[in-house]
């Protein structure tokens, strides 16, 4: 019974991490720039301008003005979302609380593959975030005032670290459980 509870907790935590990755991808809060009485929020997909009066205008990000780095950020985040969804499905269907797979060895391999996928998902999220943070930090060195990290960067770091930790703990528990009880997580 404890095994099902532990696996349920990991599925829920993985789903929360995946929701945070999707939030990081969707929000226009990667870079926040202050220009006079206007505040600009740049994201992967759209740019929003907010005036001090409270009025906010958003529009799609123009691809012709974006660099190849921005395109790489988009690609890595989208790949991480897809890999996270697939890993979460593997974890869900390989867990003891679903009767989809009856063979215990197959369940163990599915959970291990899901754990590695979750770790890779976290890594693929952290790479573009660190890259963007480095670009902003270097821009601050060159006296570009008013440019700072947005909330999506912090949400993404949280999601990436959370997914890497979940994957690592799952790998550890699978490894520990494989020597004693057939490989499935036992608490």
């Amino acid at each position: 019974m404890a095994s099902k509870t532990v696996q349920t907790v990991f599925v829920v935590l993985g789903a929360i991490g995946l929701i945070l990755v999707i939030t990081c991808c969707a929000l226009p809060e990667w870079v926040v720039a202050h220009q006079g009485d206007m505040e600009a929020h740049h994201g992967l997909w759209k740019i929003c301008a907010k005036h001090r009066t409270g009025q906010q205008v958003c529009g799609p990000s123009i691809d012709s003005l974006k660099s190849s780095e921005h395109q790489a950020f988009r690609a890595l985040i989208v790949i991480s979302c897809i890999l996270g969804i697939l890993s979460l499905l593997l974890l869900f269907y390989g867990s003891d609380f679903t009767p989809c797979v009856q063979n215990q060895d197959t369940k163990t391999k599915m959970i291990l593959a899901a754990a590695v996928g979750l770790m890779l998902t976290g890594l693929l999220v952290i790479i573009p975030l660190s890259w963007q943070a480095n670009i902003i930090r270097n821009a601050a060195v060159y006296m570009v005032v008013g440019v700072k990290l947005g909330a999506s960067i912090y949400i993404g770091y949280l999601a990436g670290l959370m997914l890497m930790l979940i994957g690592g703990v799952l790998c550890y528990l699978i490894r520990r459980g494989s020597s004693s009880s057939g490989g499935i997580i036992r608490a």
Side-chain angles (χ1 to χ4, degrees), residues 64-82:
S64 62
L65 297 177
K66 295 295 177 179
S67 65
S68 60
E69 291 171 341
H70 189 78
Q71 299 299 327
F73 298 161
R74 283 182 177 180
L76 285 171
I77 293 291
V78 169
I79 290 169
S80 71
C81 289
I82 293 169

Side-chain angles (χ1 to χ4, degrees), residues 1 42 53 72 76 95 100 110 119-120 138 147 150 183-184:
M1 186 66 177
H42 300 271
T53 60
L76 285 171
S95 296
C100 298
M110 287 174 71
M119 285 192 295
L120 285 173
N138 288 340
V147 177
I184 299 298

